[in-house]
Amino acid sequence: MMKSLDLTGTWRARWYDGQRGRTVSANLPAPDEDKYIDAQVPGDIHLDLMAAGLLPDPYVGTNVLQHRWVEEMFWTYRRTFAAPAEAAGPNAQAWLVFEALDLVAEVYLNGEL
């Protein structure tokens, strides 16, 4: 019997500028939770940054210009979940399905690309 686990909802997101030799990969140091914000999946990072008080309303004056940096960053989303028991075992098969990813993405599960 096929079962599914819905992973929509609140994830944690953060950004990296790609400078000073930092790149986004599973080899980053242990995450600093203070640098993550709540992010809704599916959703839009601009709305999450606004909800966190890090971006102003883009429809006021020239505030939209303050949103431009968002597209220049590397973004990491993370979520912890418990896999169903049916997904364990030597003959078990499980799929992690994304209905849409914006532009380019690397997906890691338990540190594996």
Side-chain angles (χ1 to χ4, degrees):
M1 181 164 98
M2 175 104 49
K3 290 189 177 184
S4 65
L5 176 63
D6 186 356
L7 296 178
T8 61
T10 303
W11 287 54
R12 303 286 285 159
R14 72 170 294 180
W15 65 92
Y16 299 92
D17 64 7
Q19 301 297 313
R20 294 169 294 283
R22 299 273 318 249
T23 58
V24 178
S25 76
N27 297 322
L28 287 173
D32 181 351
E33 283 298 324
D34 292 339
K35 294 182 180 177
Y36 280 84
I37 63 167
D38 285 345
Q40 294 303 306
V41 173
D44 181 293
I45 194 62
H46 292 87
L47 296 175
D48 301 321
L49 290 164
M50 289 171 56
L54 299 172
L55 282 179
D57 183 342
Y59 298 109
V60 174
T62 59
N63 285 350
V64 70
L65 298 176
Q66 296 178 47
H67 286 236
R68 294 182 68 185
W69 66 270
V70 176
E71 286 80 22
E72 298 172 0
M73 298 294 132
F74 295 105
W75 291 91
T76 301
Y77 283 73
R78 60 192 305 251
R79 168 114 184 227
T80 302
F81 62 93
E86 297 83 11
N91 297 321
Q93 292 183 340
W95 292 267
L96 184 58
V97 178
F98 295 89
E99 292 183 12
L101 294 172
D102 191 15
L103 194 57
V104 176
E106 287 185 350
V107 178
Y108 292 83
L109 180 61
N110 295 336
E112 296 289 325
L113 180 61

